[in-house]
Amino acid sequence: PPAAPTTALNQQELILFNLANQIRNSLNLDTILQTAVNEIHRFLQVDYCHFLWCLPDQADFQLIMTHEAKWEHLPSLNANFQAQDHEIADHITRSQIWCRDDAIMGAEVLNQLPKGYAGVRSQLLVPLKTHAGQFGAILCSYQSQAHSWTTRETQILQAVTNHLAIALDQAEMFAATRATALAAQTQAQYLAEALQKLQQTQAQLIQHEKMSSLGQLVAGVAHEINNPVNFISGNITYAADYINDVLSVLALYREHYPEPIEPIQTLAETIDLDFIATDLPRLVSSMKIGVERIYQIVLSLRNFSRLDEAEMKPVDIHEGLENTLMILQNRLKRNQAGVAINVEREYQTLPLVECSAGQLNQVFMNLLGNAIDALDEVFESPTIAVTTELVHAPILTHAQAANDLDHEPAQHVLIRIRDNGCGMTEAVLQKVFNPFFTTKPVGKGTGLGLSISYQIIVDKHQGSLICQSQPGSGTEFNIQIPVRSKTMKS
């Protein structure tokens, strides 16, 4: 059998010191309780040392053993009580020490103990209560021999229990602090995400308002220019006829009066009448070409704004691409390196596509504008290749494939816009559609163009927008949208 407990005067201080030292290394509730029963068992040399929780159970209390320390040869008794022991529970809830020195316990008490406690000879229970109002107790037991509990042992156990109650309070406070900190961190993260979404929404609203204002401005300018252009276009034909008539009369005068008077001859030589008669028809023809060019530009501006059309309607994709390229013509004539940008077109025959033409033109403007920016420093053959084709198997983004979205095997239009610029690294490629991300210098980009384009294609048109790029190999954007809009289907 194990040796009897020592009664050194510093035993209480030693237990408290070891207990405090080990508890100091952890504020975990389970660690504290297991450390406490281990230290008590070690110093008091009892057969068993248990920690009990006295939990409210409707109108009564239930006793539950949670932590145990014992000699190796003894069976474990760490189990729930089979019945509610009102006497023990009353002592715990009233913070009263409970002691059994009897060699043989009564049947009433034995029935309240866990299985295996039939051979227990002596027990000492010291209750504790935390600031949070929880009730617990340390229960020490002898099974191998009867034992009379001394005042010294009771005092030691009482001091340890008081110290343990303080440690439990600290653990509860630590757990509450951690919970509060975690809640605050979660709230801060939620607020940060909400703020980011708010900033993104605000920026998108501003961008949308800018595009809407730009569309209205373009439509207004196109309308105002269209009136005088129509006037000039309608009258230049008559002006050409009048000039031809006047030149015919002049030729007839020369035929019948080959020798004009001296003032007429002098003036004719001064103004070079022969050159005027030859160049004036060519001049009028050039004016006709110029007016036609202005008319085409105005038509492109009006088509680009699309303010007079329905939200979703069948649209010629090639017309949208050409209108956008015409608006960007001035930037295509010369990049910052002073070299003209070549545009290669490879258009297949496409059906009309049900889409929001104005928003799709905005995507074309963003992607082509970025391609031109990427070619600013290219000195040798800067090129933008625009291709279109009709496909039947939609290309899914990684997110769409992961979500297994419902993509019908219907016809889709695939538009590729590729440049031979410097390309992008993998790190940049991963963020290219993120809101506010831009590689352009400060003041040259908002970082919203590609993000808004992605939303227009993916969210608005149930399509896909994929970017492929490698450093030194240029960049390619693949736009794919269904020919038949799901919005119009519904």
Side-chain angles (χ1 to χ4, degrees), residues 17 389 423:
F17 174 78
E389 62 178 299

Side-chain angles (χ1 to χ4, degrees), residues 56-94:
D57 183 14
Q58 296 180 354
D60 215 329
F61 287 91
Q62 181 182 14
L63 298 175
I64 298 177
M65 285 184 177
T66 58
H67 298 80
E68 177 186 67
K70 65 180 183 61
W71 301 118
E72 292 183 0
H73 67 280
L74 296 176
S76 176
L77 302 177
N78 193 2
N80 290 349
F81 280 73
Q82 292 180 329
Q84 294 173 338
D85 188 338
H86 297 284
E87 182 181 1
I88 296 178
D90 286 343
H91 280 83
I92 293 176
T93 55
R94 294 177 183 178

